[in-house]
Amino acid sequence: MSGPLAGPDGLPRCPWAVLTPNAPEYTAYHDTEWGRPVHGDDAFFERLSLEAFQSGLSWLTVLRRREGFRAAFAGFRIAEVAAFTEADRERLLADAGIVRNRAKIDAVLGNARVAAGWPAGTLERLIRSYAPVPPPSSPALPAPATTEEVPAATEQSAALARELKRSGFRFVGPTTAYALMQACGLVNDHLAGCVSREG
C-alpha cells in the first residue's frame, strides 16, 4: 500500500509527486494545481487537451512541454484554436516543443471547433455536472488512504466521456475523463495525510 511520502522539504505528499528523481515539476503541479478548482471554458479546455496529449505517455512529458503547448495552441483560447487553419496544423506537426502526434493534434483542433459553437460557459458547466456528489449525511467524499484506493475511472467519468464523445469530442475515454476531473478539482484524490489535502 502506498500512502503519503515525505518530499524534499519533509512534508507528506501523494507518492507520485515525490517518487520520480529530478522531477520538481511533479511536486509543483501536485502542490499548486492538481485537485484544485479551475474556472472558465478555456481553462477546462486546456486541461482536457493536455490530458488527451498525455494518453499513452508520462504526465511528466506533458508538464515539461506545457509552455510549449500553450505557445503552440494560443494559450488554449477556444475561439482562437477553433480558427486554426491547415497551415496551423502543419506548424503544430512540425513543432518540437509539443507532442507531435497527428491524431491528438487533430482531436484538439476538432474539440475546439465543437466547444466554440457552444454558448460561453457550456463546456465548464457540462464537465462540472458530472462531479461526484457526497452523500447527504457527509460534508465531503472520504479521502483515499493509499494510491490503491484512487480509481483510474469511475461511473461519472465514463458518463462524462460518453457525453463528450456524443457531442463530437475525441480522445476522451473514461480514464482521460477521470484524470480531467482530478486536474480540475472536481474530485480531490490527495491522500489522507497529504499536505495538499483540503477537507
Side-chain angles (χ1 to χ4, degrees):
M1 294 277 181
S2 302
L5 296 176
D9 55 6
L11 296 174
R13 290 180 174 83
C14 300
W16 61 264
V18 296
L19 279 177
T20 304
N22 303 312
E25 297 90 347
Y26 268 150
T27 305
Y29 177 69
H30 170 274
D31 289 359
T32 63
E33 289 190 67
W34 193 71
R36 298 180 188 275
V38 299
H39 302 282
D41 286 348
D42 291 344
F44 275 85
F45 178 66
E46 176 181 358
R47 286 4 177 248
L48 178 62
S49 300
L50 293 177
E51 294 297 344
F53 273 108
Q54 186 274 331
S55 181
L57 300 172
S58 160
W59 181 239
L60 187 58
T61 300
V62 173
L63 283 180
R64 287 183 169 164
R65 297 182 184 198
R66 191 169 185 183
E67 291 311 312
F69 278 115
R70 285 175 168 165
F73 285 96
F76 290 100
R77 291 180 291 276
I78 293 171
E80 292 181 41
V81 178
F84 277 15
T85 64
E86 181 60 26
D88 289 306
R89 180 174 176 270
E90 293 304 314
R91 170 183 58 80
L92 293 168
L93 288 168
D95 190 338
I98 66 170
V99 175
R100 292 176 288 181
N101 179 296
R102 184 180 304 273
K104 293 176 182 181
I105 289 170
D106 287 345
V108 171
L109 299 182
N111 293 348
R113 292 178 187 122
V114 171
W118 292 349
T122 301
L123 180 61
E124 178 177 0
R125 281 193 301 274
L126 170 66
I127 295 171
R128 284 191 182 281
S129 72
Y130 287 90
V133 179
S137 60
S138 173
L141 296 170
T146 67
T147 54
E148 288 79 9
E149 293 179 20
V150 177
T154 62
E155 181 180 317
Q156 292 94 345
S157 75
L160 172 58
R162 283 194 300 272
E163 181 58 25
L164 287 169
K165 285 181 181 178
R166 188 193 66 74
S167 300
F169 281 74
R170 290 179 280 166
F171 267 93
V172 285
T175 301
T176 296
Y178 192 69
L180 171 68
M181 295 167 88
Q182 292 172 311
C184 295
L186 274 65
V187 294
N188 183 352
D189 279 339
H190 285 286
L191 303 184
C194 171
V195 67
S196 294
R197 179 79 199 181
E198 297 176 356

